[in-house]
Each structure stands twice: as C-alpha cells, then as structure tokens.
Amino acid sequence: MEYLLIFISAIFVNNIVLAQFLGICPFLGVSKKIDTSLGMSAAVAFVMVLATLVTWLVQIYVLNVFHLEYLQTIVFILVIASLVQMVEIILKKVSPALYQALGIFLPLITTNCAVLGVAILVIQKEMDLGQSIMYAFSTALGFGLALTVFAGIREQLELANIPKGMRGMAIVLVSAGLLSLAFMGFSGVDGGLRKVFGLE
C-alpha cells in the first residue's frame, strides 16, 4: 500500500514540475509538440530511474560509510552526467534506432534538475531502495504526464485567436500556471488515502 501511495503522490499530488517546480526548462522548451514530449518523457523516465538507483547506492555504500555526505550534490551531478554519457554511447552501439529516437533528448537530461532533485529527495525522505525506484519511476510518469498535457494545450493554442499582447511566451506561462492550479486539486489525496487504509 505504501508503494501505491508513493505512486499516486508522485504523479498527481507532488508533481515534480507543477508542484515542486523542478524540470521547468524542458517543460517549457520541449513541450511544443506531443511527439517530442513523449520522446523526452521516455528518456527522462529511463535516466531518472537509473540515476536514482545508482546515486542511492553511492550515498548508502560510499558517502555514508566514509562520512562524505557533504559531497552529495557534486557527486550526484557527476554520476548523472556520466550515466547519460554511458547511456548515449551504449544506445548508439546497441540500438541505433532507439538512439535516433532519444538521441536529441539525452544531452538535455544532463541539465534537467528534476533528475538531480529526485536523487536528493529519496535520500532526504530516507526511502529504501524499492521505495526510491518506485518514487523515481512515478515521478518520471508525473513529469511525462505534465509535459504531454502541456504539449497538447500548446498545440491547441496554435489554433486559437490569442490577443497580440498575450502571444508567445506570455500565454505559455499563463497556461502553465492554470495547469499547475488544476493539479492543486489533487492536494490532500494522499492524506485521505492514508486515513482510508489506516496508515496514519
């Protein structure tokens, strides 16, 4: 049941983009078309789960053991950058088709603060390995959901008759704010579920 709560909370209640405001750059930059949003979402999901797994192991079995917790942020950044490079090289060799599909998005993930944010959050929340992977996967799904819904909204905005002063980034930011407000409707869902299942 704890895993279900993590799943629902990470996707809807504490959405990484719309509630915690991490990963805003790709959210605004790659959300012009639904197909590119889906590609970015898949790449982020893969890297986020892999990065969370590796950084959790590094934190528990290296940084904590040698009392080097103060190096967490810089070590995590190096690990994530190295992972993205490794994934890029392996994909290029093993699956050129998948590399072509994700290739343009992989370098963008290195600078996506949502990946680093999740890696740090699972340590701060003292999650075990299973919970960390579930949280990373759910957060990636939440990121993908927000990105894809926003891309759909932006595609519709292209067809709308928007006043001249609101065109471009202005209407994009207003739409992002309204989408964030819509997701606020889910706040309290995880608390309600905890009461229903007697986890409080």
Side-chain angles (χ1 to χ4, degrees):
M1 195 50 62
E2 192 65 41
Y3 286 92
L4 178 64
L5 288 172
I6 289 170
F7 183 78
I8 292 169
S9 178
I11 294 175
F12 300 109
V13 182
N14 295 314
N15 187 285
I16 196 80
V17 180
L18 301 173
Q20 300 184 56
F21 307 109
L22 293 171
I24 296 291
C25 295
F27 178 69
L28 294 175
V30 190
S31 60
K32 290 180 182 174
K33 299 285 176 195
I34 289 177
D35 54 346
T36 54
S37 295
L38 290 171
M40 183 65 174
S41 301
V44 165
F46 181 70
V47 172
M48 193 176 279
V49 172
L50 191 63
T52 303
L53 170 66
V54 174
T55 53
W56 189 91
L57 293 170
V58 167
Q59 177 74 36
I60 301 301
Y61 295 109
V62 179
L63 299 181
N64 288 357
V65 171
F66 296 104
H67 305 290
L68 297 170
E69 293 90 346
Y70 60 91
L71 292 174
Q72 183 191 66
T73 304
I74 198 159
V75 169
F76 281 16
I77 289 169
L78 291 171
V79 167
I80 291 165
S82 305
L83 275 174
V84 171
Q85 287 299 112
M86 275 177 27
V87 167
E88 201 169 352
I89 292 163
I90 291 166
L91 279 181
K92 203 171 187 178
K93 296 264 186 202
V94 175
S95 177
L98 187 60
Y99 174 74
Q100 287 297 326
L102 300 179
I104 58 168
F105 302 116
L106 284 170
L108 290 173
I109 296 168
T110 311
T111 57
N112 187 348
C113 59
V115 178
L116 177 63
V118 169
I120 292 172
L121 280 170
V122 295
I123 302 299
Q124 287 179 347
K125 294 181 179 188
E126 297 179 355
M127 293 182 175
D128 61 32
L129 186 57
Q131 291 173 334
S132 299
I133 291 169
M134 185 64 182
Y135 182 76
F137 177 71
S138 306
T139 301
L141 284 181
F143 178 83
L145 176 67
L147 200 64
T148 308
V149 168
F150 194 53
I153 291 170
R154 287 184 75 172
E155 283 187 0
Q156 291 300 312
L157 286 173
E158 293 292 320
L159 308 172
N161 185 18
I162 299 162
K164 194 174 180 182
M166 287 296 290
R167 287 178 194 160
M169 193 49 71
I171 194 68
V172 169
L173 291 173
V174 169
S175 302
L178 291 172
L179 185 60
S180 182
L181 283 171
F183 267 71
M184 278 180 68
F186 293 110
S187 62
V189 169
D190 57 340
L193 286 172
R194 283 181 184 277
K195 285 179 182 173
V196 167
F197 294 109
L199 295 171
E200 278 194 344

